[in-house]
Amino acid sequence: MENQNINTAAITLVGLSVEYCRVVDAAPETEPQAFLREVLRYLPRFYVTLTDLSDRDEEPVENDTIYQILDEDGYNAARESMATLFGEFDVYLDTPVEDMRYSDTPVGVSLSEQLADIYQAVGDFAGTVRQIPAEMIPEVVDDMLCRFNQYLSDTLCSALRAANSLYQSKTLTHE
């Protein structure tokens, strides 16, 4: 029964992943404010879905079952298209960044890079699930949960905060 629940949750996560990747892929043709609105729909849903998947008795096991689907060119194209949308507002100060603790100067973080990191993680996950037999899904989910625990949860929260701030300020509205 647990594998069936994992498979159902994985299908939900795959659906979110595919939708988010479509939003990122359409960034060059999207108005900045509309793009941010779409991003803000997905980031919290990823966090909740992955947290729900984490809520089980056994710890996830990192097993390198997620294939690298998105190559460097695809990652850079996504990052650059989002950086163009955000312009001078792409880089922001993020105090939880580890480097900030040891620095006398502020440390800038790129929102487009964070969103591209999420794009790569969820795109690789969705692409892997499409290519594997159903019995391997729990292993792939475990691998995704390890990534979530190691870095993706922080990236999601940081990007959500920055995207929300930019969206709410309406700085990128061209009216």
Side-chain angles (χ1 to χ4, degrees), residues 20-32 35 39 77-86:
Y20 176 78
C21 289
R22 284 187 186 137
V23 167
V24 172
D25 290 339
E29 297 87 35
T30 309
E31 290 296 318
F35 177 77
V39 164
R79 184 188 51 73
E80 289 168 11
S81 68
M82 290 183 285
T84 299
L85 274 181
F86 303 143

Side-chain angles (χ1 to χ4, degrees), residues 7-166:
N7 289 347
T8 302
I11 290 168
T12 299
L13 185 57
V14 168
L16 285 172
S17 299
V18 169
E19 291 174 26
Y20 176 78
C21 289
R22 284 187 186 137
V23 167
V24 172
D25 290 339
E29 297 87 35
T30 309
E31 290 296 318
Q33 197 70 0
F35 177 77
L36 286 168
R37 185 176 51 251
E38 288 296 310
V39 164
L40 289 170
R41 291 181 60 225
Y42 291 102
L43 299 184
R45 292 164 69 194
F46 280 127
Y47 193 92
V48 168
T49 301
L50 286 160
T51 300
D52 287 349
L53 278 166
S54 296
D55 192 22
R56 53 190 191 161
D57 292 335
E58 67 269 357
E59 285 293 313
V61 177
E62 186 173 11
N63 49 33
D64 292 325
T65 54
I66 296 177
Y67 307 147
Q68 184 175 347
I69 305 294
L70 184 66
D71 63 14
E72 188 175 350
D73 291 338
Y75 174 91
N76 285 331
R79 184 188 51 73
E80 289 168 11
S81 68
M82 290 183 285
T84 299
L85 274 181
F86 303 143
E88 66 183 287
F89 302 102
D90 183 38
V91 176
Y92 67 97
L93 301 179
D94 193 21
T95 55
V97 173
E98 185 67 24
D99 293 345
M100 192 77 159
R101 188 185 319 181
Y102 306 106
S103 176
D104 292 337
T105 58
V107 176
V109 177
S110 167
L111 177 57
S112 63
E113 188 171 327
Q114 288 179 318
L115 295 176
D117 289 348
I118 295 165
Y119 174 73
Q120 177 155 32
V122 301
D124 287 351
F125 170 77
T128 300
V129 169
R130 270 185 279 206
Q131 296 178 27
I132 62 168
E135 60 270 6
M136 284 187 62
I137 290 176
E139 292 173 41
V140 175
V141 168
D142 267 4
D143 204 4
M144 187 64 173
L145 290 174
C146 285
R147 293 171 188 216
F148 178 71
N149 293 337
Q150 291 168 359
Y151 70 90
L152 196 55
S153 62
D154 286 339
T155 303
L156 284 164
C157 289
S158 180
L160 177 63
R161 186 177 58 254
N164 180 64
S165 178
L166 199 52

